Amino acid sequence: MNWNDAHFETKAIHAGQDPEAKTGAVVVPIFQTSTFAQPAPGEHLGHEYSRTSNPTRDALQECLAALEGGVQGLCFSSGLAATHAILALLDAGDHVVAMDDMYGGTFRQFDKVWRRHGLTFSYGDLRDPAVFDALVTPQTKLLWLETPTNPMLKLVDIAALAVKAHAHGVLVAVDNTFATPYLQQPLALGADIAVHSTTKYIGGHSDTVGGAAIVRDRALGARLAFVQNANGGTPGPFDSWLTLRGVKTLAVRMERHCQNALTIAQWLEQHPRVKQVIYPGLPSFAQRDLAARQLRQLGGQTLGGGMITVILDGELAHARKFLSTVRAFTLAESLGGVESLIEHPAIMTHASIPPEQRRAIGISDSLCRLSVGIEHVADLQADLDHALQIAFA
Ligand code: P1T
């Protein structure tokens, strides 16, 4: 059945997930098989080998394509495997323009892997779209955006940059991991590829690692599907199934993540030990107008996501004590699960970015990143309050 005209919540539960034809199983089965019997050489019943295609992965791919408003979704064994497949579309000598703030692992792949293979990169603060004009060259083939960025929660204007990039024949990829398709629709705004670490909000339960790339052009989809199969960084059936199970509740989880995060952000902003709170749903957010245009609105309020970046009014030692004291928040890398996590980007997720570059984009030693979960917000607030008291005692 075609669910394209259905609402987001309905697509999340039904797109690619019709009851199974043979048994009527309501939930897509885990087709835990590497290969498929062929009635005659070269003839098959739709699947040959699970790297190439697998019914459980197909269901997830179809669902994610529907949620992002694309024509094809491709899933990968991690977010970085999805990134790798996209960069593998380029040739040696090609140039990439990228936002200067992004997940440290993405930067590491660009800088330590792809540069050795002859790609070149220019990074800039693309909050000002005119910065793109200064960075683009005749060799530029890809514009890589992350918005909101990890960890500074900077926004880039996808629609404005897509127009500029397309005028130069440059493909636009948007890492939509932080916002999710529930809050932000990059393809509708003009991007060519929406990218995800499905490890995060899409899976939503911190129990599996995965990635996805969704496109709105069939020819680009075919090129990416070729790389997916040729390079082979695909997720197994069980990981695909866990992700598909998670994505069914994406809309309701995101609303609670946003509601809890806004409450915590407002409270932290008043806290005497806090220097700055960055949260796209706050009235004080620097790019408040762009947030209102680009992120989903609910009841006149911008849904700012579940991530908060907080700069303590102290030193590294205060941040260390704070992070070691929290209990309702778990000190861990990653984000986007139902449980609240907290981390220190300079030491943890963004350690692969050189210190001077980290400082230039604002990742200081007193900066902590919160992934606000869907526990009761009062327990989360009490935990942070207690940990701040101990850290500054
Ligand atoms: O971890 P993996 O599934 O390979 O996804 C990489 C990735 C891509 N894009 C963004 C925006 C990300 O945040 C990540 C992974 N990030 C973390 C593990 C983290 O703690 O920030």
Side-chain angles (χ1 to χ4, degrees):
M1 189 161 163
N2 182 358
W3 295 96
N4 284 340
D5 297 329
H7 292 89
F8 188 96
E9 295 82 346
T10 310
K11 287 181 193 172
I13 292 165
H14 293 293
Q17 303 166 76
D18 290 342
E20 200 250 338
K22 197 163 180 183
T23 62
V26 167
V27 172
V28 172
I30 308 168
F31 285 91
Q32 193 72 38
T33 183
S34 62
T35 192
F36 299 83
Q38 304 192 10
E43 279 176 35
H44 58 80
L45 305 173
H47 302 276
E48 296 163 88
Y49 183 59
S50 282
R51 166 162 42 70
T52 315
S53 73
N54 174 282
T56 315
R57 189 177 95 213
D58 281 3
L60 174 62
Q61 294 185 153
E62 203 177 310
C63 181
L64 295 182
L67 294 181
E68 286 283 8
V71 297
Q72 192 173 0
L74 286 316
C75 286
F76 296 89
S77 53
S78 69
L80 285 182
T83 304
H84 191 276
I86 294 164
L87 273 287
L89 296 172
L90 306 185
D91 296 313
D94 287 349
H95 174 248
V96 179
V97 173
M99 182 66 181
D100 62 0
D101 183 29
M102 66 175 88
Y103 171 54
T106 307
F107 173 77
R108 181 177 56 200
Q109 187 186 107
F110 289 176
D111 194 54
K112 297 284 190 294
V113 178
W114 286 111
R115 266 188 340 118
R116 285 196 296 108
H117 291 264
L119 298 185
T120 59
F121 295 85
S122 298
Y123 303 93
D125 186 348
L126 296 164
R127 281 180 296 180
D128 175 5
V131 168
F132 175 80
D133 303 326
L135 298 177
V136 69
T137 75
Q139 283 69 47
T140 308
K141 292 287 159 48
L142 177 69
L143 171 62
W144 183 274
L145 304 174
E146 208 179 274
T147 179
T149 60
N150 180 359
M152 298 309 293
L153 304 177
K154 294 174 187 168
L155 305 190
V156 294
D157 189 331
I158 298 170
L161 279 162
V163 169
K164 281 180 181 290
H166 290 156
H168 292 270
V170 171
L171 274 181
V172 180
V174 176
D175 187 329
N176 202 24
T177 299
F178 269 35
T180 82
Y182 186 61
L183 301 186
Q184 177 171 274
Q185 297 264 296
L187 302 185
L189 293 166
D192 301 290
I193 313 176
V195 191
H196 283 280
S197 168
T198 58
T199 314
K200 313 294 169 5
Y201 291 105
I202 290 197
H205 296 76
S206 304
D207 52 11
T208 180
V209 171
I214 299 99
V215 296
R216 60 188 170 83
D217 176 71
R218 289 204 184 276
L220 180 59
R223 286 168 62 206
L224 257 180
F226 175 83
V227 175
Q228 183 195 40
N229 183 48
N231 277 2
T234 51
F238 185 52
D239 281 337
S240 300
W241 185 88
L242 279 172
T243 308
L244 193 57
R245 176 181 165 123
V247 82
K248 286 175 194 277
T249 55
L250 181 63
V252 285
R253 282 188 283 109
M254 287 318 291
E255 284 184 17
R256 183 58 66 87
H257 281 296
C258 292
Q259 190 186 323
N260 280 0
L262 178 63
T263 304
I264 299 272
Q266 283 169 331
W267 171 78
L268 280 172
E269 215 172 25
Q270 307 302 324
H271 200 285
R273 298 302 188 181
V274 169
K275 189 154 44 177
Q276 193 191 351
V277 179
I278 305 170
Y279 179 66
L282 277 177
S284 62
F285 184 64
Q287 295 172 285
R288 193 182 151 180
D289 294 344
L290 178 57
R293 263 203 329 276
Q294 202 160 264
L295 297 168
R296 184 185 282 261
Q297 305 287 302
L298 188 70
Q301 182 74 48
T302 298
L303 293 181
M307 303 300 294
I308 301 175
T309 291
V310 57
I311 299 160
L312 301 182
D313 196 11
E315 310 295 325
L316 177 61
H318 296 107
R320 277 188 187 281
K321 189 75 188 159
F322 172 59
L323 292 167
S324 316
T325 307
V326 286
R327 288 291 169 267
F329 279 80
T330 300
L331 175 60
E333 300 203 7
S334 203
L335 56 115
V338 290
E339 66 290 295
S340 294
L341 302 180
I342 195 164
E343 66 113 10
H344 191 270
I347 298 176
M348 298 166 69
T349 51
H350 291 69
S352 52
I353 296 177
E356 53 301 348
Q357 200 174 325
R358 273 203 314 260
R359 270 192 288 278
I361 53 180
I363 307 176
S364 71
D365 285 350
S366 56
L367 182 147
C368 303
R369 188 191 74 182
L370 283 66
S371 171
V372 179
I374 62 170
E375 301 94 337
H376 197 290
V377 71
D379 294 326
L380 299 178
Q381 194 171 308
D383 186 42
L384 295 175
D385 198 22
H386 171 252
L388 282 169
Q389 271 177 39
I390 301 285
F392 286 91

